[in-house]
Amino acid sequence: MPDYHPPVRDTLFVLHELLGVERLSNLPGFAEASPETVEAVLEEGARFCREVLTPLNRVGDRQGCTRHADGQVTTPSGFKDAYRLYAEGGWVGLSADPEHGGQGLPFFLAAAMNEFAATANMAWAMYPGLAQGAIAALTVHGGEMHKRDYLPRIVSGEWLATMNLTEPHCGTDLGLIRTRAAPAEDGSYRITGQKIFISGGEHDLTDNIIHLVLARIEGAPAGVKGISLFLVPKRLPDAAGAPGEANGVSCGALEEKMGIHGNATCVMNYEEAKGWLVGEPHKGLKAMFTMMNEARLGVGIQGLAQSEVAYQNAVAYARERRQGRPLHAKAEANGAAPAPAPIIVHPDIRRTLMGIRSFNEAARALVLTAALTGDIAARSPDAAAREQAEDWLALITPVIKGVLTDRGFENTVAAQQVFGGHGYIAEHGMEQFVRDARIAMIYEGANGIQALDLVGRKLAMNNGRAVQAYFAELAGFVSENEENEALAPLLAPLKEGIEHLQKATMWLAKNGAADPNDAGAGASDYMHLFGLVALGHIWAKMAKVAAEKLSEGAGETSFYETKLALARYYMERTMPETGMRLKRIATGAGATMALPAEAF
């Protein structure tokens, strides 16, 4: 049976020793997030995830969800009780505004908890994860009625929420949406259309589900400029605010999927369903992107999560499984062959495990840095600080979503390989991690789209202000630490990676404008090159902290020495990939576009 131990100590290291979250005690909610409170929240969240959610992961995968004749959906055994405990614990509204019933704690705590939950049980964690995105969208764009009648019930966990974008004929190209919204005399709208691939679209965890739906108001402009966002409840609240009569929304089918079987992925049918406009008419994408950007960070976390749980179980297996002898082993004195050794002694197994772990710890630090930056963007009274934070988030979000999910999937496969044939059968759970991880590369914007977004939009936004600021940040770190002997072995690979990223950026700026295919052909390599450098920068910063702690004799010697070993591994074995990525980008689109379509 797979197991999971949430990495509380590593999370605390990132928050307090690397990021120093205490320095932001002037921001709303941060004063309450004392080191003692943060540790207590993480420890309790870790306990819940390990004891309650982890045992349900295989249950959800094997049972899946059941759609009944009346369109209602039942989730796997134990899911409803687990959600009740989660909601009662106040976890859904951990970082939500107290004005709406939330606890008001910083978002970085919610992000850490999201990692623990997604690692323990990704399919289950998707239900409350979507609610967090809805809370963000309604907090920013909702009107008085939304915030009075719906938002507090989502924050409390009494009701859950979904995001409805995709239709059978369109996914990424939302300008093709056909779902209609007809104005009604009472100020509401009647929504008609079909949405597909809707995570948590129907279930039995809560008495009501609030759907945020993209639709086109009759007579709206064509394309994305004519899309509006609507709040459509499964059941219309009665005079007391309780779920009343059924609305015109139903689950037409459950998708049969490769993984995340415990999450109800639905075809949703809207037939004159009553809904209310969120935000301004024809400005629905702006409101929905508030939810989508949070969801993309959440999906990046899912990539890390599956990589982490696969790693932990691969390590446990490698310590126990005996196979072969160490390469340096000699025969016993009596001439007998050495006894078989645990496979963790073999260099190739070590290569696999070191590669996964060095990714996981840097990815965790990058995610928590993004979450803290999100807190600054949302809560800082300093306009310049908010702008800088928003720029950095816009730049890094597609990288987190794309790189962490691509590498996360690769790592689950690599961890599965440690088990050999045992990894291919269901008993050890590794094949489920592979199947579950695969979807994160696809939904909330497939990773190729994330790469195009980074290259086509984010690099050029505000005349390159964000990427220029990031290059300045990287250069500043290198300059400040050039005399640091402890970092010398790490700075040289980092500097080379930064140079490769800068050259790639300049190449795309020059050639992508002349031939957009050059930008398109190199986009995925550029996204991964960016990710390699971002994770390398994080490793250098963590290594600096670890070296300082060791020089101070702070204790936990093994913890900090491990950090330095992992940083060295990343720089020596992973960072050199930047050169390969640059070379691919600089070849342009010639070979990629050489064949006519009919030749394929």
Side-chain angles (χ1 to χ4, degrees):
M1 174 70 73
D3 201 1
Y4 168 55
H5 298 267
V8 174
R9 175 65 186 96
D10 195 53
T11 302
L12 291 172
F13 166 80
V14 173
L15 293 177
H16 298 306
E17 299 173 65
L18 177 66
L19 298 179
V21 296
E22 297 82 2
R23 64 188 168 83
L24 297 172
S25 59
N26 62 309
L27 298 186
F30 275 66
E32 290 76 21
S34 66
E36 295 78 17
T37 298
V38 169
E39 183 170 2
V41 169
L42 293 179
E43 289 285 2
E44 179 59 23
R47 183 201 63 76
F48 177 85
C49 291
R50 181 157 194 251
E51 295 179 5
V52 179
L53 297 185
T54 298
L56 294 175
N57 196 36
R58 175 175 281 194
V59 174
D61 185 59
R62 290 186 170 182
Q63 288 187 9
C65 297
T66 302
R67 179 184 177 276
H68 304 283
D70 61 358
Q72 301 299 303
V73 172
T74 302
T75 54
S77 300
F79 271 44
K80 186 173 183 178
D81 288 340
Y83 179 74
R84 176 181 54 80
L85 293 173
Y86 189 83
E88 289 175 353
W91 294 106
V92 178
L94 190 66
S95 62
D97 193 329
E99 182 180 345
H100 308 303
Q103 298 185 47
L105 289 168
F107 177 62
F108 69 72
L109 267 175
M113 184 59 184
N114 288 347
E115 183 201 334
F116 293 175
T119 314
N121 192 327
M122 179 172 158
W124 182 94
M126 290 169 63
Y127 292 106
L130 285 164
Q132 291 182 356
I135 290 169
L138 293 177
T139 298
V140 176
H141 303 285
E144 180 181 349
M145 182 272 287
H146 307 124
K147 294 179 179 179
R148 181 191 67 234
D149 297 342
Y150 294 93
L151 186 54
R153 288 178 167 84
I154 301 174
V155 169
S156 70
E158 180 183 352
W159 296 346
L160 280 171
T162 71
M163 178 167 57
N164 285 234
L165 289 78
T166 306
E167 299 184 3
H169 61 283
C170 72
T172 300
D173 191 353
L174 294 174
L176 300 176
I177 280 176
R178 296 173 184 163
T179 299
R180 307 186 312 277
E185 292 183 0
D186 62 358
S188 65
Y189 289 79
R190 298 297 178 266
I191 313 299
T192 301
Q194 185 179 77
K195 300 289 184 176
I196 63 171
F197 305 156
I198 307 306
S199 300
E202 175 58 42
H203 55 73
D204 59 351
L205 302 185
T206 56
D207 294 335
N208 208 359
I209 303 170
I210 308 306
H211 303 288
L212 294 184
V213 184
L214 287 182
R216 193 180 300 282
I217 298 173
E218 294 178 351
V224 296
K225 293 182 178 181
I227 297 174
S228 300
L229 180 65
F230 298 89
L231 183 155
V232 185
K234 172 185 174 180
R235 292 188 173 276
L236 299 169
D238 61 20
E245 66 176 291
N247 202 358
V249 52
S250 63
C251 171
L254 287 179
E255 304 288 1
E256 296 185 13
K257 312 185 297 290
M258 176 179 176
I260 55 169
H261 294 154
N263 193 269
T265 306
C266 303
V267 173
M268 300 301 297
N269 295 322
Y270 292 85
E271 300 176 4
E272 297 288 315
K274 191 173 185 177
W276 289 268
L277 182 69
V278 177
E280 300 177 44
H282 319 316
K283 299 290 179 66
L285 279 188
K286 180 179 180 182
M288 183 61 84
F289 267 113
T290 299
M291 190 173 186
M292 287 181 67
N293 285 333
E294 186 155 323
R296 285 171 175 170
L297 176 61
V299 173
I301 289 173
Q302 290 176 351
L304 162 61
Q306 296 310 291
S307 180
E308 176 66 27
V309 72
Y311 166 80
Q312 289 192 17
N313 285 276
V315 168
Y317 182 83
R319 287 173 174 160
E320 297 172 357
R321 176 70 168 176
R322 292 183 174 273
Q323 193 84 19
R325 282 83 181 167
L327 297 180
H328 56 71
K330 298 180 180 179
E332 303 291 343
N334 61 5
I343 63 174
I344 200 168
V345 306
H346 301 308
D348 193 58
I349 297 295
R350 293 290 189 93
R351 173 191 62 82
T352 298
L353 297 178
M354 288 290 282
I356 300 174
R357 183 168 176 180
S358 62
F359 165 83
N360 290 351
E361 295 192 10
R364 178 172 301 113
L366 184 62
V367 161
L368 292 173
T369 301
L372 181 64
T373 305
D375 279 319
I376 295 171
R379 305 182 187 214
S380 177
D382 184 338
R386 292 197 306 273
E387 179 182 271
Q388 184 179 15
E390 289 166 358
D391 281 355
W392 189 88
L393 280 173
L395 192 64
I396 209 69
T397 295
V399 175
I400 286 177
K401 197 283 180 183
V403 174
L404 268 58
T405 58
D406 275 355
R407 298 295 278 229
F409 175 72
E410 291 171 11
N411 288 344
T412 61
V413 173
Q416 182 189 38
Q417 188 76 12
V418 171
F419 283 71
H422 291 288
Y424 195 68
I425 61 175
E427 177 185 355
H428 291 281
M430 301 304 287
E431 55 85 32
Q432 183 191 342
F433 301 146
V434 172
R435 289 185 288 105
D436 286 353
R438 187 63 183 88
I439 185 57
M441 303 163 70
I442 299 172
Y443 60 13
E444 299 305 337
N447 286 356
I449 299 299
Q450 301 302 318
L452 290 172
D453 177 52
L454 175 64
V455 169
R457 295 181 62 245
K458 300 304 171 56
L459 292 183
M461 67 179 186
N462 299 312
N463 296 315
R465 185 177 70 201
V467 73
Q468 290 171 23
Y470 188 63
F471 284 146
E473 178 186 348
L474 294 172
F477 178 84
V478 171
S479 176
E480 291 167 10
N481 293 282
E482 283 185 320
E483 304 301 321
N484 189 329
E485 293 184 7
L487 292 187
L490 309 180
L491 282 185
L494 178 60
K495 287 173 66 176
E496 184 176 45
I498 294 170
E499 290 172 4
H500 290 159
L501 180 60
Q502 290 173 324
K503 288 179 179 179
T505 305
M506 290 186 289
W507 191 93
L508 287 171
K510 178 181 178 181
N511 295 278
D515 184 354
N517 283 338
D518 280 338
S524 288
D525 279 303
Y526 183 84
M527 178 182 71
H528 279 279
L529 172 50
F530 205 115
L532 286 163
V533 172
L535 295 174
H537 180 214
I538 286 283
W539 262 125
K541 293 197 291 185
M542 290 195 292
K544 179 179 181 180
V545 173
E548 290 172 351
K549 293 293 184 179
L550 288 170
S551 67
E552 295 168 0
E556 294 189 282
T557 300
S558 176
F559 178 86
Y560 296 115
E561 288 179 342
T562 298
K563 285 289 180 191
L564 292 175
L566 290 167
R568 177 186 170 192
Y569 182 91
Y570 184 89
M571 292 301 187
E572 291 183 2
R573 301 298 298 259
T574 304
M575 201 65 174
E577 292 179 23
T578 59
M580 174 195 71
R581 299 289 182 178
L582 172 61
K583 193 164 186 177
R584 286 179 175 177
I585 293 165
T587 62
T592 301
M593 305 301 292
L595 292 179
E598 59 271 15
F600 282 87

